[in-house]
Amino acid sequence: MAEEGTSKSAGIPEVTDCCPDAFQWDRREDCEVRQILDRIADKWSLLIIALLDDGSMRFTELKRMIDGVSQRMLTVTLRQLERDGLVHRTVHPVVPPRVDYELTDLGRTLHQTVQSLVLWTERHQADIAAARERFDAAHR
């Protein structure tokens, strides 16, 4: 038997009495909220959006500034952000090719939201660290 609030079927959230609208958006076939959240909330997208808030950057600059991202993953993430209308890509006709990326107006509105999340995290990081210590101590 599943615990309250957990799904009895893998991958399909079950709405329980505690949170009636928690998964409402997840059940509508015409809603892409979950897909969009998955895209914009991944670590590479968040870093790219934060970096591009300062202005246009070349691919090589982004690659150099994002520790641990592979060239392929950076390419894929930028392409997805471009497809979603969050990033604009400009190819300059020079040799070697120069490609610049910048946030679109829509991307800048997302950065404002991401910045709020970052500020919340900064304000509460000590609380979270203390909660983690209490949890770890209780589960040893």
Side-chain angles (χ1 to χ4, degrees), residues 69-138:
V69 70
S70 68
Q71 182 166 334
R72 181 185 180 287
M73 184 52 66
L74 181 57
T75 299
V76 166
T77 304
L78 285 165
R79 184 61 52 107
Q80 291 170 339
L81 292 171
E82 182 183 7
R83 181 174 182 253
D84 289 341
L86 303 171
V87 168
H88 177 74
R89 177 178 181 255
T90 303
V91 179
H92 301 275
V94 295
V95 177
R98 182 176 137 209
V99 180
D100 292 320
Y101 295 89
E102 62 185 326
L103 290 179
T104 62
D105 290 341
L106 182 61
R108 279 189 283 284
T109 66
L110 177 59
H111 181 265
Q112 294 165 0
T113 301
V114 169
Q115 188 61 29
S116 296
L117 180 61
V118 170
L119 291 173
W120 180 90
T121 305
E122 288 173 347
R123 284 187 201 120
H124 297 287
Q125 63 185 343
D127 300 326
I128 292 169
R132 287 176 177 174
E133 287 178 21
R134 287 190 304 274
F135 180 91
D136 291 347

